[in-house]
Each structure stands twice: as C-alpha cells, then as structure tokens.
Amino acid sequence: MSDAELVLRSTRVITPEGTRAASVAVAGGTITAVLPHDAEVPPGARLEDVGDHVLLPGLVDTHVHVNDPGRTEWEGFWTATRAAAAGGITTLVDMPLNSLPPTTTVDHLRIKQRVAADKAHVDVGFWGGALPGNVKDLRPLHEAGVFGFKAFLSPSGVDEFPHLDQDQLARALAEIAAFDGLLIVHAEDPHHLAAAPQQGGPRYADFLASRPRGAEDTAIAALIAQARRFGARVHILHLSSSDALPLIAEARADGVRVTAETCPHYLTLTAEEVPDGASEFKCCPPIREAANQDLLWQALADGTVDCVVTDHSPSTADLKTDDFATAWGGISGLQLSLAAVWTEARRRGHGLEDVVRWMSERTARLAGLDRKGAIEAGRDADFAVLAPDETFTVDPAALQHRNRVTAYAGRTLHGVVKSTWLRGRRIQADGEFTEPKGRLLTRTP
Ligand SMILES: [Zn+2]
C-alpha cells in the first residue's frame, strides 16, 4: 500500500470472496491491494471514504448498440458512454451493427475506433460481425482485436447486416473455431417467425404472438448442434424464451461450449403490463409473460444463464410508432440497468453480490477482459459507488442517452449510483461528468 495514490474505503466492498469492510489501494489506475477497513493511509495518498455506500466493481456491459458513425442521430459514443457512466458501467462492448459502416472488416473497425476515441467516457471495445460472404475478414478482425463475432439467424432489422443461413453459419463457425474465437448469436429461426401470425398493429399480444418462443428454441437447438459439430465457442444473446433453458443446460453438461445472457427488460418487465401501442417496450425477441420471467430468474440463480447485459438499442423517437410490427425494436437501458436489475433481484431475495456476478464478473469473463470485473489486486480500479436502499423515480429528462425514450418511465427503482470511477479517476458524481478519458480496448491475445 505504500505506493498507493488513492485509497477508497467503504464498510461494504464487494470482492470475489464476498462483501466486507475494506480499504482499496490504487496506484497507476490499478488496484494494488484490498486491505482492512482501518488500514493506515500512506502519506501522499488521497483517502476517499464512501461510508456505508457499497463499492462494487464497475459493470461490464457487453451488449450495446452505439450506432456511431452513420446513425449518430440514434445514439453516439459521447451520449452512450455518459449514460453508461451514470449507471455505474465502466466498460462497454459495442455491437457491430446499426452503425454505418458495420464492423465487418478491419477498415470498418478502424473507422469506428477513430470515431469513438475522443468521445468515450468509459472504456469501449468492439465486437465484429459475421455476414454471408465475409468469412475471409474474420481472422483479420480477430487479430485486430475484436472480442468475437456477432451473427443473426433471422433478419437483423437493417439491410446492411444480413443474417446467416445454416450453411453460412457452418462456414463462419468452422473459421472461428480454427482460431478459437467466439461467435455471439441472435437466435431466432426465420422459418418459425415466418410461420407465426403477423397481425401487425398496436396490440402487444399480437406482437408477442408474432415472435413465439419456438422461434428462439428452434434456432438455439440448431446453433448448439453446429457448436457441437465444430467444437466452437458460442454465446446466445438476449435469451428471452425460458423453454430453451433445458436445451442450454443439457448441451453444457454434455461439454458443448455454450453460454447465454439475458437482459434487464426480460427480468423486470412483463408482457402482461405492456400497454398497447407502447413500442418503447418493443425488442426482439420480445418481453414475455411473468411465468417465463420467473424461470429466467431461476436460470440466473442456477447458472444456466451466465450474465445480464442491456442490449441498449435506441433509435430516434419518431421510429417508435404505435404499430409494433413496424416500430424500431430496441430498448434503451444503459443508465438504468443496474437499478432495474437490483430492484427486482432484491425483491426475489438475491444479493448485490449476485448482481455483480451477472453484470460485471461474468460479462468480463465472456469477453476475456481479465483486468475488469472484480475488486482485487491487479485489476483496473473501476468502481461504482452505490446507495442500494435509496430509491428514485425514473424521469426520462434525467437520462443521458441521446433519445430519451425509455420503457422504465415513472418506475420507482432501488439503487442510486453516487459516483463512477475508471482506472482510479472519478468520471461521474451525482450526474456531473469529467472530460472523456475512456480507452479503446482490444481482445487480450
Ligand atoms: Zn442487440
């Protein structure tokens, strides 16, 4: 501790070994030691005592659509990373689509990195994209530092990012397995979707019927079969259908390298309460019934679902029409994800340690970010300071993302983020931000 520049002290520090009173020593942006609460502060070091507020590792959100450049009017790096910082997220990994260009070649990755460089309030990494016809680009992207590759098995919603059929999926997986990369997959089966009733209009029940659980289950079964065939590592994005949980559990027990994530909106909102015409609740796959939600929580508790990420996917407000068939599908959750998940987790008897495991430790592990995701010596000094018992009512005007559309408006949530720290620097406190100092991250070779 003698070389510490900063000591953060709290009666409740969440470490991999549990929650305890501690003093966390920081030097050069790195945690150097986790010491007893009453450890002596060395001369020259600054003490930051947050009292009984909880000190938790900065969250790692591996599923964010920043849309910059190209659809910057939907969202951009400046606004998305401020929303992240306000919500206690210190690292985000950007999805390869909805920006123009999409992140499907090394040249496109360079463009995105240039755009993000001076705007990032938090650390930012990038997923690449697997499209029909870009198999040759996958290894160069991997070597350029993307964390893995996203593919769709059904139409993505934007023309420049077409989905893979099963043959194309096999070709991509064979290539990715050859360099032991990771494929992350939007798993809905296009034939199953096409066969579902496509009523359109403002009724949520009709929208839900148009994206049935079976479309997810079918696609996930096919993906597992392909992962098994190639020995490839795959990750199921934004799992909504609880019917697919046994498939995932069995495959994993059988040695298939498959992980899964779900999202705050599937865990905290239910189909039964979505008002008709309220397309701020539209996402694909959709928010399902309360009974489905109970099973997703059970799967988080038993480890079948590994982690929770936002799938923050905004658009301009005019694209959120009251017709569920044509409205943009995507929920903006960056700033509220921690509070939303914590509010429901505590109601269900889970602890903050569980939330940290799902939203920081496991997401860091998914992306191989071995300096993130825990408060322990050798990791980046990324923290959120949280008042877990304080409540607030969601006011869209207080949100930092570009288009202040939210499915959480008017809800009262537990958990107020008091400040956020990135590599030992306070980047946000009570809604005031410092200049952006986020770094661009690349995969650890
Ligand atoms: Zn997404």
Side-chain angles (χ1 to χ4, degrees), residues 82-286:
R82 274 168 70 105
I89 295 164
T90 49
T91 303
L92 64 82
V93 188
D94 176 55
M95 280 293 166
L97 75 157
N98 302 347
S99 60
L100 295 168
T103 319
T104 48
T105 69
V106 171
D107 285 348
H108 292 178
L109 172 66
R110 298 297 178 222
I111 291 169
K112 296 211 56 163
Q113 287 170 326
R114 265 202 303 280
V115 168
D118 339 329
K119 300 181 190 157
H121 289 79
V122 302
D123 286 356
V124 173
F126 297 89
W127 297 108
L131 302 182
N134 84 330
V135 170
K136 65 177 187 331
D137 294 300
L138 300 181
R139 188 184 287 266
L141 275 166
H142 177 75
E143 284 163 2
V146 300
F147 289 89
F149 301 92
K150 180 176 195 180
F152 279 76
L153 302 183
S154 56
S156 72
V158 292
D159 293 339
E160 69 276 4
F161 206 97
H163 67 279
L164 304 182
D165 66 24
Q166 289 294 318
D167 287 341
Q168 291 159 340
L169 172 65
R171 279 198 285 281
L173 269 180
E175 174 70 1
I176 290 167
F179 53 75
D180 202 27
L182 170 65
L183 187 72
I184 63 175
V185 182
H186 180 121
E188 286 183 291
D189 179 77
H191 310 293
H192 210 109
L193 291 177
Q198 301 296 330
Q199 183 79 22
R203 285 190 62 225
Y204 191 75
D206 291 333
F207 172 62
L208 186 57
S210 77
R211 315 283 306 203
R213 297 185 199 193
E216 283 188 72
D217 309 336
T218 306
I220 288 168
L223 177 65
I224 287 171
Q226 298 262 33
R228 188 191 302 273
R229 174 178 166 205
F230 293 104
R233 226 177 115 217
V234 300
H235 176 73
I236 296 160
L237 298 165
H238 47 52
L239 178 75
S240 172
S241 168
S242 61
D243 292 350
L245 293 167
L247 294 173
I248 298 166
E250 282 160 28
R252 196 178 298 173
D254 217 22
V256 178
R257 300 164 79 198
V258 56
T259 50
E261 68 185 30
T262 191
C263 305
H265 36 277
Y266 303 130
L267 295 168
T268 65
L269 307 171
T270 61
E272 289 89 336
E273 65 190 333
V274 177
D276 288 342
S279 70
E280 64 269 30
F281 291 86
K282 178 184 174 182
C283 57
C284 297

